[in-house]
Amino acid sequence: MNYLRAELLRACLKSLLDQTWPRLEILVVDNGSRDHSTDVVSSFADRGIRLLALTENRGFAAAVNLGVRRARGELVALLNNDAVASPEWIEQLVTGLDASPDVGMCASKILFYGSDVIDKAGHLIFPDGQNRGRGTGEPDRGQYERTREVLAADGCAALYRKEVLKQAGGFDERFFAYAEDADLALRARWLGWRCLYVPGAVVHHHHSSTLGPYSPRKIYWVERNRLWLALKNFPLPLLLLNPFFSIYRLAWNLCAALLRRGAAGNFRREGSLWLLLRVQLQAWRDALAGAGPMLRKRRRIRTTRKIGDLEFCRHLFRFRISAYRLAFGDKERRQPCRR
């Protein structure tokens, strides 16, 4: 999926053309970019890259769903326009997917561009639905070199069986952006599919290059979609406990903001504590306003699930991240972000 950032898109496409995996169909879904992104894609037309151009920005989920419908293969790889894949990226992910027939998704090792710092090595989750990359912010010192199961793959760079996407119903387009990959993974979990992290599938990522990591819009989408994810997927006892887990997580975030550390501290440095509170309140208001469609989707998930509530909760707590790590995991930023 592409939206703006034409200068990054060219490097992304070149990395796909350099893949060692021989059978590759490359589709670029452009979300109504106003820069010269479509011209960049057209310059690769003689290399077989196809452009699907939308007239407006319909969000990550809608763009990916369109690409999946048009893709001819049985496996679908996603790569953001601000990411550059190593030559063996696809080959490594396919090998991971072949490990077991119940592996339906594979996660990449995603590094911050130009560094050896980990962006994500799969996803973890807090019991209120807030998900985050495993190992985010840690220097890559070989601690994530083992192929192992994780909760979810980050949609920035992942491989899916097309059958998984079909069974789970694709990405939820109401999310627009953020948490739709975790939501999809949880719906796939309910259907008995697993996700495998493949350390040899390396991608370098210009993290949050479009909005910036602490954009109010990003904070809004993350918090609203976190609530929708829980409402759709969590068993009732865990859903009833959601406010208490959230209060606990937000208390740690408040500490981080007051100490000017972590994500909340960075947001306060670039905005204000009151703006952060206002964005949170707007997200909660709109999450409640959109609860109806999520409850209808919840009923469909409950009627088609293949595992029980206890097994699902075991998955969530097996791949749990602490509230402290969520609050203080981000490093201090001195420069203002791109908004």
Side-chain angles (χ1 to χ4, degrees):
M1 191 280 289
N2 178 74
Y3 179 63
L4 304 177
R5 306 314 302 270
E7 72 278 10
L8 300 180
L9 176 61
R10 186 177 298 277
C12 172
L13 295 179
K14 285 181 177 178
S15 75
L16 289 175
L17 291 170
D18 289 339
Q19 292 296 300
T20 57
W21 185 254
R23 301 182 297 278
L24 205 60
E25 175 193 22
I26 303 176
L27 303 177
V28 178
V29 183
D30 184 78
N31 243 334
S33 296
R34 298 179 302 277
D35 60 2
H36 59 285
S37 290
T38 55
D39 295 332
V40 170
V41 180
S42 298
S43 70
F44 287 94
D46 60 337
R47 304 292 299 275
I49 296 180
R50 294 163 54 200
L51 172 65
L52 304 176
L54 299 173
T55 57
E56 60 182 356
N57 184 2
R58 293 173 53 193
F60 176 88
V64 170
N65 286 342
L66 173 61
V68 170
R69 289 194 296 269
R70 298 291 181 87
R72 295 188 286 263
E74 295 180 1
L75 306 180
V76 176
L78 305 184
L79 186 67
N80 275 9
N81 64 333
D82 56 358
V84 175
S86 61
E88 295 184 350
W89 176 60
I90 292 287
E91 186 173 353
Q92 289 283 332
L93 289 176
V94 172
T95 300
L97 209 61
D98 288 340
S100 175
D102 66 344
V103 173
M105 307 157 279
C106 280
S108 308
K109 177 195 279 187
I110 306 174
L111 303 175
F112 287 107
Y113 191 86
S115 77
D116 63 350
V117 177
I118 293 171
D119 184 355
K120 301 174 185 72
H123 268 210
L124 302 174
I125 196 167
F126 190 70
D128 73 342
Q130 182 67 64
N131 67 96
R132 185 180 174 86
R134 187 171 70 111
T136 298
E138 298 177 19
D140 184 13
R141 298 290 183 261
Q143 69 272 45
Y144 297 108
E145 287 304 303
R146 184 167 64 90
T147 300
R148 56 159 292 176
E149 187 177 355
V150 292
L151 178 74
D154 191 276
C156 162
L159 182 69
Y160 299 88
R161 296 186 193 274
K162 202 171 187 179
E163 181 63 22
V164 172
L165 299 173
K166 180 180 178 181
Q167 287 183 15
F171 290 90
D172 191 331
E173 298 184 11
R174 288 185 66 90
F175 278 44
F176 191 79
Y178 301 105
E180 64 280 277
D181 44 12
D183 170 64
L184 173 72
L186 292 184
R187 285 183 278 127
R189 286 270 176 188
W190 277 118
L191 296 171
W193 294 101
R194 296 190 299 127
C195 181
L196 201 66
Y197 163 70
V198 183
V202 179
V203 165
H204 292 84
H205 183 214
H206 296 268
H207 181 75
S208 292
S209 62
T210 301
L211 288 179
Y214 306 110
S215 159
R217 277 193 294 168
K218 178 178 178 179
I219 301 298
Y220 166 83
W221 280 325
V222 167
E223 184 64 17
R224 184 199 65 180
N225 294 351
R226 185 272 303 177
L227 285 162
W228 282 352
L229 175 149
L231 192 59
K232 287 172 60 178
N233 292 285
F234 283 9
L236 184 58
L238 186 58
L239 190 59
L240 293 175
L241 291 172
N242 192 278
F244 301 99
F245 282 118
S246 293
I247 290 170
Y248 179 72
R249 175 177 60 84
L250 291 172
W252 278 107
N253 278 334
L254 179 60
C255 290
L258 293 174
L259 294 172
R260 295 182 181 272
R261 293 175 56 193
N266 288 329
F267 186 95
R268 182 187 178 190
R269 188 176 295 108
E270 298 172 10
S272 72
L273 194 58
W274 294 114
L275 176 60
L276 179 60
L277 176 61
R278 189 175 71 189
V279 169
Q280 294 272 355
L281 292 173
Q282 289 172 345
W284 296 338
R285 177 200 65 194
D286 292 349
L288 290 174
M294 298 302 143
L295 289 172
R296 289 191 289 273
K297 292 175 182 180
R298 175 186 178 85
R299 285 193 288 271
R300 289 197 293 270
I301 292 169
R302 302 293 297 176
T303 57
T304 59
R305 62 193 174 117
K306 295 184 178 179
I307 65 172
D309 289 354
L310 186 58
E311 184 178 352
F312 182 85
C313 288
R314 284 198 189 108
H315 286 311
L316 292 185
F317 283 89
R318 178 185 173 192
F319 303 114
R320 178 181 176 179
I321 188 170
S322 70
Y324 176 87
R325 177 69 176 170
L326 280 171
F328 289 94
D330 284 19
K331 302 300 182 184
E332 181 177 337
R333 290 172 59 94
R334 292 294 184 185
Q335 298 300 322
C337 68
R338 194 187 308 271
R339 293 177 185 255

